Structure formats: C-alpha cells, structure tokens
C-alpha cells in the first residue's frame, strides 16, 4: 500500500500531539493482508442491494476487517527482514471471510436477513508501518506503532 | 387507557411512513458499500453520543425511573446520583489498563477478553449463560414498556397491547433492520429529548418550580422529600443506599456490553468528545425522568390510588400538558425508540445463543445460514416467552432493569477489575466470582431479602463476588508468567506524555497486538538497533 505519510510527516504528526518526548529512532515494517473482493446481493421488498465489498484479513494473526476503500498500491523493493511473514492459509481465509461480512451487516444494520455473498478476487498486499522509539522526559523508552497509510498510531508497549 | 383517538392513529401512521421513507431514501442514495454497511461510522461525536444515550435508556428512562420516584420520592435519586458519575468512574478505573491488556491479548469482544485472561474450558460457557440470561431482563423490560406505550397510544387493553408491541418488535428485528439507519435513530432521539424537555418545563411551571415541588410534596407526605424513602422505608439502611448508588456508579464495570467501549477507541479526539458529551448529557438528562416522577405525585395523584399504574406517569403527563397531536407524537417517538433498543438487544441475544452456545457446544461446524436460522428461532422463542411472562405476571420495568444490572455487575465486575489490577487473579477466582455473584443476586432478589436485611441486592452480590474472587485466586494456581508480564505491561509504569497516552486508535488495535508478537519473536528490534520492546 502506498505511504500516505513519510518519515518526516510521522515526526511532525507525533510531535504535534506532545512536546514532552523525543523520537530516537524510526524504521519501516510491512504487515501482510489478503484483500478480498466480494459481491453482496440482497433483494427485499423495499430495497435491493448489489454491492462490492472489500474484506481484509491480517495474514499474520488472521483477524478480519472491512476495508473502507481499495486504496492505492505501489510495487517496491523492501528488505526481507522488514516484512512480517504470512502465517495464515489463503484458501481457508477466503472461505471464512463471508462470516465477517455477515457480522458487519448484522452489527451495522441490525438484521437477521443475510444477503448472498460471492467471492470475486483477492490480492496479497503489504501495509507499511513505522516502529518509533521514543524517550519521555525521564529518559524512559517507549515505542509507538505508526500506520504510514492512515496516520493512526498506537502505543506498542505502554 | 389515555389515547385511542383518530389523532393517535393518524400520527402513528404518518410517523411510521416518515421513518420508513427516510430509511428507503437513505438506502437508495448510499453511494458506496461503506456508506451502506458502515454508515454509523460517518456520523460525528455529537450524533454518536446522542444516539447511544437515547437508544440505550428508553424503556427504563420513560417508565421505570419515574415510576420508582413516584413510589419512593427523593430516595430514588440515589440511583440517579450513581448513574451521573458512573461513566467517569468506569473510565478512570478500567479505561487505559483494560484497553492495553485487550490489545496484548488480541481480543475485541468482552466475553473473549474474559476467556483469554482467565483461560479455562468453562469460562466462556459460564460467562455466556449469565450474559444471555440477564441481557434477557433488558429485553423483557423493553417488551413491557412497548406494550404499555401501545396501550396508551392506541387505547387498547394492556394484554392486547403487549402482544401487539412485542409482535411489532420481533417483526422489526426480522425484517426492518436494513432500514434502521443511524439517521432514523438520531431523529427518534431528538424527538424524545425535545419531548421530555418540553414536558419537564411545562410540569415544572405547573408545580411552581423546586420550591413549589418540595412544599407540595411535604404537604402530601413529608417523607417523600427525605433521603430514606416514603414512610422512611429504608431508614438507616446504608446497605440499601450504598447498593442504590453503587449499582450504576460501579456496576457498569461489570456489564460486558459496556466495558467493550474501553477496549478500543475510534480515534482519541472522537472518543474524548464522546465521553465529554455523554457525561454532560448524563448530568443534564439523567435526573429529568426521576424528577418527572416527583412532579407526577402532585399532578397525577390518581396514579397512586389502587389500580393506578405509576409507570404511565410520563405518558400521562404528556397527555395532560401537551396538545393532542404533540402528545401523540411523543408517544410514537417513545415507542419507536423502545423498538430500536429492543431489536438491538434481541439481535445481541440471538447472536450469543447462536455463536456462543449453539456453534461452540452443539454444532461446531454450523454454517452461517444454520447459525442464522438458530438465531431466528431463538429470537422467536424469546419473543413468545416474553409475551407469556408479560401477560401472566408482569414485573415492574424499574425492578427488572435494576435486577438485571445488579446481577450482571455482581457476576462480572471482580473479574474485569481484577484482570488488570491484580496479577494473582486467576481462572478459579473468576469462576467462583461469576457463579456466586449471580447466584447470590438471584436468591437475594427472589427471597426479597433486601428489605429485612437492609442490604441492596447489588451490594450483597458484589461483596460475595469479590470475596469469592479473592479466595478462588488465592487457592487456585496463579496465572502463567506470560500473563503476569502482560498485566504488568498493561499497568504501564512508564510515564507517557498526555497527548500520546490517549492515542490508541481502534483501527490499528489488531495490528498493534500482531506487531508486538512479531517483534518479540523476531530479531527485528535487535538487528535495527532498537531497544527491546
């Protein structure tokens, strides 16, 4: 996936949140996902639904999520040890993916009617994250995981 | 019966057509699947907070709370006091630690969190059974509220209204969900809030403000304005008072569907705003229904007579103080808000029964279509059983909700709090705490022991449950070293700058947990010159 944030952008975004720490080190890490396209069809008395939905599965831990957009992709060479390996079985992931679509529909729409969900295609993609090492005012170390596509970040070990 | 005229029927039909129209319009004009499936995500913090609050409080707020104040006077405000501070208390104790630990354990659902923190064959089964049984209490309360509102609106006898109301809810759950979009919830919420405020202001003027209210209550019975309940029924019973305040002040920490909010945030900014708005909202709005119960004592004395139904106090105030059309709109808004709460709770129950019970213990290979069928059958059964209970021996909405809340709180609170605050807390402690908290609450309530002993059901349940958690944890084997390390890390001794401390975005929670595992198992950090994570 294409970086929305370069290292300098990540620096600025983090320092915007607080001045009471310093960034000591930052490096890239690529996280694997299977991006799947499904067609969802539903015909009710008052409405019809025929949409493509994108489901992502984290291929390291097997967690599913709905993708908001297909995103932008670029081909790039990366160092091998900066890529988290794929642990999940691709066929099983595709087989189980419709459950995520069902539960998302249930949660969002509170329905018991389930639509037909048909598999269309898939692609293995990698999302760039920055691992950021920081020091607080007491010189204690903490780490941040920074999503280089969306700019979201989360404390890793604190 | 207070309605039943042509106006009510016309308003009901126009309102329903309007809501369906909004749903149809919205579903036809959503441009992307994200709009369609994840529509709720695009609404802002104000709408999110208002929608959450209004749809979560309907039946209890309109009937249970005011009815209890009508019965006990100012004493019932102890519940409101606890409720007003519950959110902050809850976030303060569980907030950050629980969010971190749930990241480390890689779980996003509250039952899954309990299962991973307290690993054991029976953990999920015990937790799911308790959750299902007592979420059912909420469902039944909504059915009763819907029946009473229908009776008031359409002027039909209560048993018929309960059948219609519950039938409509079950039908709506089966068929209407696709049309129940965030905006219809929001419009219903706004109508409800405006109605409540309007009725409150009009009634406030009629009783002569706070001074007039207190003077007239004192003239009727001085104990209405005392802190021990009407006729000093709870005189000196601090155990009952502590339970009344505590049930909503700390009880939230034991509710699986509430603690899930601590486990992830959409974004720091939105979460912060939502908490602030919800807290301000609570201070402004929590007390209004209770005070309307007090005003009802003066303005609707007939409800206190034999045969009078105190749960109708807000509905009857609407008819007494508002013009006919407006009163009918209020009732329809209340009815639809109850429906939107009830269908969500029914769906939750159906899903738990399907996934946590049927798929896990009966048919592990169940397909989604089978699960859906099981959920539908369960919802239908729940609906029929609820109608039978409501017709044969309808409990009060207030007591039902407080009982369900107390039991869930007593069963789960020690396990949720101990999970992040006590490394020694283990699976045996969790089992004993869940079972004893639930059993004691049920016995206490069924035997009516709160009055004679001066100990509120919640107060008793939570004491026994905490004791069981501690004893079980001391007797049983301690959690693994790995788990204790995770709890230590969740405690976070490192001082994190304020601006970053709140920055745990929900969307990357799974990756955070995954990256942590990878970094611990690989040489990435060492090779690239980082300190160990």
């Amino acid at each position: 996936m294409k970086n929305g944030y370069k290292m300098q952008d990540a620096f600025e975004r983090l320092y915007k949140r607080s001045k009471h720490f310093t960034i000591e080190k930052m490096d890239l890490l690529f996280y694997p996902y299977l991006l799947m396209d499904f067609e969802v069809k539903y015909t009710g008395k008052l409405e019809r639904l025929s949409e493509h939905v994108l489901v992502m599965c984290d291929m390291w831990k097997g967690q599913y999520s709905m993708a908001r957009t297909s995103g932008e992709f670029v081909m790039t060479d990366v160092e091998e040890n900066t890529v988290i390996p794929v642990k999940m079985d691709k066929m099983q992931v595709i087989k189980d993916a419709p459950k995520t679509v069902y539960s998302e529909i249930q949660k969002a729409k509170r329905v018991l009617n389930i639509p037909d969900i048909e598999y269309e295609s898939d692609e293995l993609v990698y999302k760039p994250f920055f691992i950021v090492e920081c020091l607080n005012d007491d010189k204690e170390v903490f780490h941040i995981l920074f999503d280089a596509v969306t700019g979201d970040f989360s404390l890793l070990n604190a | 019966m207070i309605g039943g005229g042509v106006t009510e029927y016309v308003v009901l039909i126009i309102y329903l057509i309007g809501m369906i129209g909004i749903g149809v319009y919205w579903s036809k004009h959503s441009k992307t699947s994200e709009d369609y499936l994840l529509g709720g995500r695009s609404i802002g913090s104000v709408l999110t907070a208002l929608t959450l609050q209004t749809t979560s409080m309907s039946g209890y707020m309109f009937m249970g709370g005011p009815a209890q104040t009508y019965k006990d006077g100012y004493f019932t405000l102890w519940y409101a006091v606890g409720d007003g501070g519950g959110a902050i208390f809850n976030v303060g104790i569980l907030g950050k630690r629980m969010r971190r630990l749930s990241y480390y354990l890689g779980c996003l659902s509250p039952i899954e969190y309990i299962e991973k923190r307290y690993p054991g064959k029976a953990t999920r089964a015990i937790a799911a059974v308790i959750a299902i049984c007592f979420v059912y209490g909420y469902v039944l309360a909504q059915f009763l509220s819907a029946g009473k509102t229908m009776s008031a609106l359409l002027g039909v006898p209560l048993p018929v209204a309960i059948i219609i109301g519950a039938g409509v809810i079950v039908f709506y759950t089966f068929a209407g969900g696709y049309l129940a979009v965030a905006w219809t919830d929001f419009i219903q919420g706004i109508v409800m809030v405006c109605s409540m405020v309007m009725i409150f202001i009009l009634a406030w003027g009629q009783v002569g403000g706070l001074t007039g209210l207190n003077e007239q209550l004192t003239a009727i019975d001085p104990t209405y304005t005392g802190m021990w309940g009407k006729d000093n029924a709870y005189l000196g019973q601090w155990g009952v008072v502590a339970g009344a305040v505590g049930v909503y002040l700390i009880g939230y920490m034991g509710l699986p569907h509430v603690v899930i909010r601590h486990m992830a945030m959409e974004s720091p900014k939105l979460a912060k705003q939502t908490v602030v708005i919800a807290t301000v909202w609570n201070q402004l709005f929590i007390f209004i229904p209770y005070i309307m119960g007090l005003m009802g004592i003066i303005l609707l004395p007939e409800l206190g007579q034999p045969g009078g139904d105190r749960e109708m106090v807000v509905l009857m105030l609407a008819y007494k103080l508002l013009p006919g059309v407006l009163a009918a709109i209020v009732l329809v808004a209340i009815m639809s808000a109850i429906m939107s709460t009830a269908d969500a709770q029914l769906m939750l129950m159906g899903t738990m029964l399907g996934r946590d019970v049927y798929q896990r213990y009966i048919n592990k290979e169940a397909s989604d279509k089978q699960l859906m069928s099981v959920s539908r059958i369960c919802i239908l059964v729940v609906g029929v059983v609820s109608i039978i209970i409501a017709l044969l021996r309808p409990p009060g909405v207030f007591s039902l909700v407080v009982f369900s809340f107390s039991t869930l709180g007593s069963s789960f609170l020690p396990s949720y709090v101990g999970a992040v605050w006590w490394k020694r807390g283990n699976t045996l402690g969790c089992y004993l705490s869940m079972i004893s908290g639930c059993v004691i609450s049920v016995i206490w309530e069924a035997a009516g022991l709160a009055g004679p002993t001066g100990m509120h059901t919640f107060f008793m349940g939570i004491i026994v449950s905490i004791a069981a958690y501690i004893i079980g944890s001391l007797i049983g084997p301690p959690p693994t070293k790995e788990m204790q390390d995770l709890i230590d890390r969740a405690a976070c001794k490192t001082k994190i700058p304020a601006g970053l401390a709140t920055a745990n975005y929900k969307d990357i929670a799974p990756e955070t947990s995954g990256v942590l595992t990878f970094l611990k198992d690989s040489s990435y950090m060492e090779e690239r010159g980082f300190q160990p994570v």
Side-chain angles (χ1 to χ4, degrees), chain B residues 413-428:
Chain B
L413 191 147
S415 299
Y416 279 129
V417 175
V420 288
W421 285 97
W422 196 30
K423 278 194 291 185
R424 191 71 174 76
N426 63 14
T427 306
L428 181 63

Side-chain angles (χ1 to χ4, degrees), chain B residues 4 101 135 146 342 348 441 465 467:
Chain B
L101 188 61
V135 165
L348 177 67
S441 298
S465 179

Side-chain angles (χ1 to χ4, degrees), chain A residues 31 33 58 127 129 145 156, chain B residues 507-516:
Chain A
Y31 205 102
Y33 298 88
D58 150 3
K127 188 176 185 183
F129 285 91
L145 180 72
L156 258 181
Chain B
D507 287 346
I508 57 168
E511 287 86 349
T512 307
S513 160
V515 166
L516 256 179

